[in-house]
């Protein structure tokens, strides 16, 4: 990996969280009909993260890209329903994006910059969608801080002790719809996983919702330093020292503890803003009054609203 590819990782690590914050400020997703996301949902997500790699590895090779394509399509249609309300137009755009992704891989190959640009765009849009579904649905910064800390332990174990992460990367390599963003040029590649992008976006967007611009700035600094520069520099530094670069660097090992420490610092500023308070702060007086006063269908108990 060269420093130019480290810059590619840095670009995606910044662009996707900033896109998620932009979405939060301008687009409202439908609240979940069962109430709000909370700490129990984070535990479910942790279980899902643990089980998913085993599920992927158990699938026959040809089934995996098909499943990833369905996951991509589902993620796009849920998140961008408020943006493109016409169903036929929305599906036309989604299928068009997936077609460009697939065609560029089949025609130009998995190492083509065109394929990686197309695939990275799809992955980024899905992460922005998933981030806002969670943050606008009620997940608190506290929940996300614990989640990324769990991911740090997960990454450390399954990248160093049990080589599950490497096996999964090898299983996906060569197929379209890779769950990652970046750029590959021959043997060189600067790639950041979808899970890493989701962690960066969740933390940045929730920090912005909870503590405003101060929270967002701190989150972006942590993303730049511990989510992109440090893990992206490790292969360069290790190769310079020993002559061989590691094939995989678990980014969450660096970002998870830093993000949790950042949350603890932000918590000293006071309690987190709930979503209704965020809406009130970013609306005119009349809209703000309606946001605070209007009852919501299927609302969760007051103590759980976030």
């Amino acid at each position: 990996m060269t420093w130019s590819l480290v810059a590619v990782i840095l670009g995606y690590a910044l662009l996707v969280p900033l896109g998620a914050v932009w979405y939060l400020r301008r687009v409202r997703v439908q609240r979940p009909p069962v109430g709000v996301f909370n700490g129990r949902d984070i535990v479910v997500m942790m279980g899902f993260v643990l089980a998913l790699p085993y599920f992927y590895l158990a699938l026959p090779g040809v089934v995996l890209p098909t499943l990833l394509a369905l996951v991509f399509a589902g993620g796009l249609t849920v998140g961008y329903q408020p943006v493109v309300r016409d169903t036929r137009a929305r599906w036309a755009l989604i299928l068009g994006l997936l077609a460009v992704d697939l065609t560029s891989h089949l025609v130009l190959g998995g190492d083509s910059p065109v394929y990686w640009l197309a695939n990275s765009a799809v992955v980024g849009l899905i992460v922005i969608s998933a981030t806002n579904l969670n943050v606008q649905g009620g997940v608190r910064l506290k929940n996300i801080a614990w989640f990324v800390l769990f991911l740090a332990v997960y990454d450390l174990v399954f990248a160093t002790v049990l080589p599950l992460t490497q096996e999964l990367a090898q299983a996906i390599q060569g197929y379209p719809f890779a769950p990652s963003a970046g750029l590959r040029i021959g043997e060189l590649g600067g790639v950041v996983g979808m899970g890493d992008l989701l962690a960066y976006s969740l933390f940045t967007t929730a920090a912005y919702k909870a503590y405003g611009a101060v929270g967002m700035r701190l989150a972006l600094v942590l993303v730049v330093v511990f989510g992109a520069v440090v893990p992206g520099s490790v292969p360069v530094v290790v190769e310079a020292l020993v002559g061989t670069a590691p094939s995989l660097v678990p980014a969450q090992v660096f970002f998870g503890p830093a993000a949790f420490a950042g949350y603890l610092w932000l918590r000293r500023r006071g309690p987190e803003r709930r979503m209704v308070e965020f809406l009130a702060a970013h609306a005119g007086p009349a809209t703000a009054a309606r946001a605070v006063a209007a009852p919501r269908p299927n609302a969760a108990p007051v103590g759980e609203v976030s």
Side-chain angles (χ1 to χ4, degrees):
M1 183 186 294
T2 65
W3 289 111
S4 59
L5 293 176
V6 173
V8 171
I9 295 175
L10 176 59
Y12 283 115
L14 274 177
L15 186 62
V16 175
L18 286 172
V21 171
W22 183 91
Y23 188 111
L24 174 69
R25 288 176 57 88
R26 289 167 174 80
V27 182
R28 299 278 72 81
V29 298
Q30 185 176 358
R31 295 293 293 270
V34 293
V36 297
F37 292 106
N38 52 39
R40 291 186 297 273
D41 299 293
I42 294 297
V43 173
V44 173
M45 286 175 63
M46 291 177 180
F48 184 74
V49 167
L50 283 172
L52 192 60
Y54 293 101
F55 176 68
Y56 278 165
L57 290 172
L59 293 173
V62 70
V63 176
L64 182 56
T66 304
L67 178 63
L68 289 172
L70 293 174
V71 170
F72 280 17
L76 289 170
T77 190
V78 170
Y80 295 96
Q81 183 176 358
V83 179
V84 184
R85 296 188 179 276
D86 183 87
T87 303
R88 286 179 294 184
R90 185 170 65 253
W91 273 107
L93 289 170
I94 290 170
L95 293 177
L97 282 171
L98 296 181
V100 171
D101 195 336
L102 177 61
T103 303
S104 61
H105 186 279
L106 295 177
V107 175
L108 301 174
D111 291 333
S112 165
V114 176
Y115 163 69
W116 276 101
L117 287 172
N119 192 77
S120 299
V122 173
V123 167
L125 289 171
I126 292 172
V127 169
I128 290 169
S129 162
T131 295
N132 277 275
L133 186 63
N134 282 276
V135 173
Q136 295 193 35
V139 168
R140 295 172 181 262
L141 181 61
K142 174 183 69 174
N143 305 136
I144 293 168
W146 281 106
F147 180 61
V148 296
L149 190 61
F150 163 80
L151 287 180
V153 178
Y154 171 91
D155 261 12
L156 181 63
V157 172
F158 287 102
T160 58
V161 181
L162 303 173
L164 181 64
T165 304
Q166 185 64 34
E167 289 181 22
L168 182 60
Q170 292 173 350
I172 293 173
Q173 188 173 3
Y175 291 110
F177 307 117
S180 52
L183 186 65
R184 287 192 182 277
I185 303 174
E187 295 297 321
L188 298 176
V191 176
V192 56
M194 181 187 288
D196 293 328
L197 286 176
L198 182 60
Y200 305 154
S201 295
L202 282 170
F203 187 79
T204 302
T205 309
Y208 178 66
K209 183 190 82 169
Y211 296 103
V214 172
M216 182 182 70
R217 285 195 294 267
L218 174 63
L220 289 175
V221 169
L222 295 176
V223 168
V224 168
V225 176
F226 298 100
V229 173
V230 171
S233 302
V234 166
V236 179
V237 174
V238 172
E239 186 175 20
L241 293 175
V242 302
T244 304
S247 59
L248 182 69
V249 177
Q252 293 306 311
V253 170
F254 304 100
F255 179 73
F260 192 81
Y263 157 69
L264 294 178
W265 183 83
L266 286 171
R267 192 175 64 173
R268 298 170 59 186
R269 300 178 64 88
E272 297 184 36
R273 286 190 302 189
R274 299 174 299 163
M275 189 63 195
V276 67
E277 294 166 333
F278 172 83
L279 293 175
H282 291 79
T287 307
R290 288 197 301 271
V292 173
R296 296 191 311 273
N298 302 307
V302 173
E304 295 184 15
V305 174
S306 177

